[in-house]
Amino acid sequence: MGSHKKSALKAQRSSFEASLGDQLASTFEREDARREQAAQQREAQLRHKACERKKRYSSESEAKLAIRDCERHGSRDLHTYRCPYCGGWHLTHKPTRK
């Protein structure tokens, strides 16, 4: 059984890390790259769902006119919101947040 002194544990850890060499660093680099790619994919999916597949209106008044047209055809409870991605306006059935 090894020593429980802090200096001995530190030396043992340093020896272990040295034996791994670049393998440990490359493992962390790969994990960081994987996490970054996953975050980019989540953001792209969110953008597609929240913006790219929806009709964009250039102003809130134009979007409200579209709501009136939809109501004439039977669609109810539509609201407008400003898109954080494109800066335009979209329609939603979700009530506005306060």
Side-chain angles (χ1 to χ4, degrees), residues 54 57 60 63-64 66-68 70-71 75-82 89-97:
K54 296 183 178 183
Y57 299 94
E60 185 177 19
K64 287 185 178 185
I67 288 176
R68 286 189 211 117
C70 291
E71 287 174 345
S75 185
R76 300 277 183 239
D77 299 324
L78 284 170
H79 306 279
T80 62
Y81 70 94
R82 186 167 196 91
W89 292 84
H90 298 296
L91 305 182
T92 185
H93 285 283
K94 293 181 180 180
T96 55
R97 293 185 207 170

Side-chain angles (χ1 to χ4, degrees), residues 8 15 31 59 74 79:
S15 173
E31 179 61 17
S59 67
H79 306 279

Side-chain angles (χ1 to χ4, degrees), residues 24-38:
L24 185 62
S26 65
T27 301
F28 285 117
E29 288 171 5
R30 282 194 311 272
E31 179 61 17
D32 288 344
R34 186 197 64 77
R35 285 183 181 178
E36 179 63 29
Q37 183 180 15

Side-chain angles (χ1 to χ4, degrees), residues 33-45:
R34 186 197 64 77
R35 285 183 181 178
E36 179 63 29
Q37 183 180 15
Q40 288 174 355
Q41 286 176 343
R42 278 190 304 275
E43 183 64 25
Q45 290 168 346

Side-chain angles (χ1 to χ4, degrees), residues 1-33:
M1 187 154 162
S3 174
H4 291 291
K5 291 182 179 180
K6 286 184 180 183
S7 60
L9 292 174
K10 188 175 180 180
Q12 187 179 23
R13 181 182 174 137
S14 295
S15 173
F16 173 72
E17 288 175 353
S19 71
L20 292 175
D22 291 335
Q23 181 182 359
L24 185 62
S26 65
T27 301
F28 285 117
E29 288 171 5
R30 282 194 311 272
E31 179 61 17
D32 288 344

